[in-house]
Amino acid sequence: MARSLRQTGAPDGDEITVAIGLPREPEADWRRKEAEMLSDDDGVVVRHLGWERVEPAMAERMFPDLKASLDDIPDVALPRDWGWNFVDCDAWIVCADAAQGAVAPLKPVAYYVRDLAQRYVPSAFASGLDHIFWRRQDHAFRLWRQAECVFSTQAATNDDISGYAGVRRDRIVLSPQLTPASGDATKRSAGSSIDLLWLAEPYAGHDPAVALEAVRILRSEGEDARITVCGEQAYGFDPEDGQLTLLAAPARARRAAESIACETVADERELARVLSRTKLVWSSALADGEAEGVLRAAQVGVPYVGLRYPQAERLVQELGVTAFFYDRSEAGLIADALKQALSNTASAPTSGLSPKDDTRDWSSVVERLWRRPGA
């Protein structure tokens, strides 16, 4: 996104410089992610980002220019960088999830929405209706409705922003498709060693118990494909390290975990190395608005398996990915789609995403942020 904004430029023709707020974590991890984001472009910098929650009255005293209506919102999140706190920027793009609650808009602001998966898989986000997540979500939505714009890369997600979050259509923008920062990721390993790469995290949004049952069915029917589960928390599927996740699955499905490998990845570079060795990508996500599994399959030019939903279908068509969809998250349907895909991976891979996919025209968002009152 930063590269695309730099290429697009401001409406007045000026160059756009970008400060990326990267959330604080252990220093070594933070530095690694900072290095991943930085390039030879000196127009992009990375700063530490910490969220500080304050009462609206305090925020209004600290920032007298704050114009948003904060009535009945108990607290707001302020982005702090232990310097200028991003108020030296002309405009903000907020990528924080709705779970962060109301982010105080100290500058003209656009909100990027990856998806609103909580509409479809609420159990993956909160345990009940009285959970604080739902109150924070409501507060976030109220600020979205006051923003210069709210944008996503998918028309179906924009429908959710309107119908679920209640943002007026004239404030919603369809932005260009975001693609992985490919780099060396499109270079395939000389000898692929993974027949099926399963992109998953051990929480309800990926329906791990049903997905493991699908793997069990495959094994019971004699499928001996090399399967690797991959994600930031893939260790949750390991029979030794992932007891809590596996306990939620039926005993017979838990045994399927013994037949798969686990690759826990911390950054784009590690994921790229795993992708370069795979012949087929499966994502068990139930409502991923960015359809990351499709993007990853396109990144290395291999077929894709996943649940049928509008965002994934559109991306498959746009990127020319060979796809094997299942209509519901049911173990039998998943197993059938996986078996069909595994038997059709002999064809040569496509070329994958090209570098030009990383730079698109973002003027539709930029013009909203540069629009001034009365303009």
Side-chain angles (χ1 to χ4, degrees):
M1 187 190 294
R3 282 198 300 271
S4 298
L5 289 167
R6 294 270 295 151
Q7 175 178 284
T8 299
D12 58 7
D14 284 351
E15 180 182 62
I16 292 177
T17 57
V18 181
I20 300 174
L22 180 62
R24 291 173 66 89
E25 57 183 318
E27 188 66 11
D29 295 334
W30 192 92
R31 290 295 178 191
R32 185 183 67 251
K33 291 181 179 179
E34 177 196 34
E36 185 179 350
M37 290 183 174
L38 290 175
S39 64
D40 295 333
D41 185 349
D42 59 7
V44 178
V45 298
V46 180
R47 301 180 186 176
H48 286 88
L49 166 65
W51 293 106
E52 179 179 347
R53 309 202 75 85
V54 301
E55 295 181 356
M58 174 65 75
E60 289 164 349
R61 284 197 296 272
M62 294 169 65
F63 304 99
D65 293 336
L66 179 59
K67 298 294 194 299
S69 171
L70 303 176
D71 293 344
D72 299 322
I73 294 178
D75 57 31
V76 294
L78 295 174
R80 312 306 298 268
D81 65 5
W82 294 270
W84 291 100
N85 297 326
F86 302 100
V87 294
D88 57 326
C89 302
D90 293 311
W92 287 358
I93 292 177
V94 175
C95 300
D97 187 84
Q100 190 61 251
V103 176
L106 307 181
K107 292 290 178 174
V109 62
Y111 290 91
Y112 160 63
V113 180
R114 174 189 174 88
D115 58 39
L116 287 167
Q118 60 267 39
R119 183 179 192 179
Y120 304 98
V121 198
S123 59
F125 294 83
S127 56
L129 292 177
D130 59 346
H131 195 281
I132 192 172
F133 172 87
W134 303 114
R135 294 196 295 277
R136 289 263 169 88
Q137 174 189 259
D138 178 59
H139 302 155
F141 288 174
R142 289 179 59 184
L143 270 294
W144 293 8
R145 295 169 198 146
Q146 301 176 56
E148 271 65 30
C149 74
V150 182
F151 69 93
S152 80
T153 66
Q154 303 285 338
T157 300
N158 280 352
D159 289 341
D160 287 337
I161 294 171
S162 173
Y164 180 64
V167 179
R168 291 204 321 259
R169 280 284 179 178
D170 61 5
R171 292 184 184 267
I172 302 173
V173 172
L174 182 64
S175 69
Q177 177 62 54
L178 292 165
T179 57
S182 303
D184 293 333
T186 55
K187 297 180 180 178
R188 293 187 56 78
S189 175
S192 294
S193 59
I194 301 172
D195 295 320
L196 174 62
L197 184 66
W198 173 18
L199 298 178
E201 301 294 347
Y203 73 99
H206 282 264
D207 215 354
V210 170
L212 282 169
E213 174 64 8
V215 174
R216 186 200 67 79
I217 293 173
L218 278 182
R219 297 307 192 200
S220 71
E221 295 177 351
E223 179 58 69
D224 60 357
R226 290 161 294 185
I227 301 175
T228 295
V229 61
C230 180
E232 292 184 4
Q233 300 180 62
Y235 58 82
F237 293 89
D238 187 281
E240 294 184 5
D241 299 330
Q243 291 90 344
L244 290 178
T245 297
L246 297 178
L247 280 175
R252 63 181 188 177
R254 291 201 297 269
R255 288 193 290 273
E258 299 173 1
S259 70
I260 62 177
C262 296
E263 286 274 4
T264 300
V265 293
D267 55 36
E268 184 75 18
R269 187 181 302 275
E270 291 181 6
L271 177 56
R273 294 177 69 90
V274 179
L275 281 167
S276 71
R277 296 184 284 119
T278 191
K279 300 175 183 176
L280 178 67
V281 170
W282 166 36
S283 171
S284 55
L286 299 180
D288 178 3
E290 285 287 356
E292 184 183 4
V294 177
L295 287 170
R296 297 304 182 179
Q299 190 176 351
V300 286
V302 300
Y304 168 77
V305 183
L307 181 66
R308 186 188 304 278
Y309 54 89
Q311 292 93 327
E313 288 187 294
R314 187 189 74 82
L315 264 187
V316 159
Q317 184 174 12
E318 180 179 312
L319 300 176
V321 175
T322 300
F324 301 86
F325 287 119
Y326 44 90
D327 292 320
R328 295 180 304 281
S329 183
E330 294 180 7
L333 295 177
I334 298 172
D336 289 343
L338 291 174
K339 179 175 283 191
Q340 182 183 7
L342 285 165
S343 65
N344 284 274
T345 56
S347 58
T350 58
S351 58
L353 294 174
S354 61
K356 65 178 173 57
D357 291 322
D358 289 332
T359 50
R360 306 279 188 91
D361 181 6
W362 279 69
S363 57
S364 57
V365 174
V366 171
E367 288 171 2
R368 297 294 186 102
L369 289 172
W370 258 255
R371 186 182 299 168
R372 294 293 180 259

